[in-house]
Amino acid sequence: MPRVALVTYDPRPEPSKDADLPVLTAALREAGADARAVFWDDPDVDWAGYDLAVIRSTWDYSWRAAEFVAWAERCAKLTRLANPAEVVRWNTDKRYLGELAEAGVPVVPTRYLAPGDPADLPDDHEYVVKPTSGAGARYAARYTPERHEGAVRHLERMHAEGLTAMVQPYMRGIDAGGERALQFFGGRLLHASRKRAVLAPGTSFDAEKVAHPGLEPWTPTAAEHAVAERALAAVPDAPELLYARVDLVDGEDGQPRVMELELVEPNLFLFLHPRSLGPVVEAVLAAAGR
């Protein structure tokens, strides 16, 4: 009986936002695994007692990125971790987009402003400011040149917390075509979803946002699938990935570009794709048996 840890976050005092976790846990148990949901930062967890630890919904990690990466490296020394610790370290900092661009992957154009850098912001087009370590649109907002002072305050807030900012043109294609998420599991395309624009004009960077508005199933085009495969092939050292999600938007030329490559704790959206539960269980059990 393989022992599988499904690694999540401690949501207290609120209920967990991971609707898939109890369903996946139950399905793994029904398939013969001793599967348990455990908090990544619980000091009492015996990671060596598991055959596999699958990072599922550690959705508070971006507030504690260094601590989380250190945990992943410790955990990987005690059991098999999916995805591997070196992938976690690389993917928790969205400066990886620059590496993907250098590898020839079409990505959303991105500049980075670290603490101490001047507030070099666009003055001729709408743009987005967000942190290189973030999730669920945390500390993200879109600006027009007329809102320059608000964007500067946004930068100052992030820099005061030691965060590096990303500055990207606002991709207007998202208003028409939405953002498409291609989910891979066990090395194969599992399913795809589409959501509408997250950042409404004028919404403050520190306001609560709906992370996945208008979520719906999506059939990816050949071009979208090809770009997603190129992004995955560009991950350094070609590690074995149990899961991956590639988020795409259309560029000005109408072609898909990578908005984000999520290799740490992507929402699987199994509630939207119930037929994907079986393949996920099979892939997890196969990984646990290696």
Side-chain angles (χ1 to χ4, degrees):
M1 178 182 291
R3 296 199 68 208
V4 178
L6 298 175
V7 188
T8 186
Y9 73 112
D10 185 347
R12 59 184 178 187
E14 303 295 330
S16 174
K17 295 181 180 180
D18 187 355
D20 291 333
L21 188 61
V23 175
L24 180 55
T25 304
L28 283 167
R29 289 175 176 171
E30 186 175 348
D34 179 4
R36 304 183 185 190
V38 293
F39 302 143
W40 70 269
D41 56 353
D42 183 347
D44 296 325
V45 175
D46 177 16
W47 299 105
Y50 291 97
D51 301 296
L52 175 70
V54 183
I55 302 174
R56 282 304 328 117
S57 48
T58 54
W59 292 338
D60 59 348
Y61 91 82
S62 65
W63 281 264
R64 306 155 62 187
E67 182 183 353
F68 180 73
V69 171
W71 163 80
E73 293 174 342
R74 290 194 307 272
C75 183
K77 293 177 181 178
L78 299 171
T79 187
R80 179 179 174 85
L81 179 67
N83 281 325
E86 60 270 21
V87 172
V88 172
R89 185 188 315 109
W90 180 77
N91 196 235
T92 50
D93 188 327
K94 292 185 177 65
R95 279 175 282 201
Y96 67 74
L97 286 172
E99 296 184 40
L100 295 182
E102 291 177 0
V105 179
V107 303
V108 174
T110 306
R111 291 188 299 111
Y112 302 96
L113 299 177
D117 289 342
D120 181 15
L121 297 169
D123 60 6
D124 60 350
H125 62 266
E126 193 171 15
Y127 57 95
V128 172
V129 176
K130 58 186 178 183
T132 56
S133 178
R138 182 176 75 96
Y139 275 10
R142 56 191 275 199
Y143 296 97
T144 59
E146 293 74 23
R147 295 183 60 212
H148 177 79
E149 291 185 4
V152 170
R153 289 194 297 271
H154 182 174
L155 282 175
E156 290 174 345
R157 172 72 173 276
M158 284 198 295
H159 287 169
E161 296 189 19
L163 299 172
T164 293
M166 306 166 62
V167 182
Q168 301 173 319
Y170 181 72
M171 308 300 287
R172 295 193 175 276
I174 201 170
D175 293 329
E179 180 179 332
R180 282 88 69 195
L182 276 64
Q183 180 73 58
F184 294 78
F185 215 99
R188 295 179 294 178
L189 179 66
L190 181 68
H191 56 239
S193 311
R194 180 173 70 167
K195 66 180 180 181
R196 297 302 176 180
V198 173
L199 300 178
T203 301
S204 173
F205 70 89
D206 54 0
E208 289 288 333
K209 305 174 185 74
V210 177
H212 306 291
L215 192 67
E216 60 183 351
W218 176 255
T219 301
T221 65
E224 291 168 354
H225 197 170
V227 169
E229 293 280 8
R230 287 176 65 183
L232 293 174
V235 177
D237 302 321
E240 181 179 356
L241 301 173
L242 178 61
Y243 54 84
R245 197 183 75 212
V246 188
D247 295 341
L248 305 171
V249 295
D250 289 334
E252 293 297 326
D253 58 0
Q255 296 302 306
R257 290 175 174 263
V258 175
M259 172 76 80
E260 183 173 353
L261 176 57
E262 177 54 82
L263 307 179
V264 180
E265 31 67 76
N267 194 325
L268 299 180
F269 306 132
L270 293 176
F271 58 85
L272 192 66
H273 303 275
R275 292 183 180 178
S276 293
L277 180 61
V280 168
V281 169
E282 292 177 8
V284 170
L285 292 178
R290 290 184 192 139

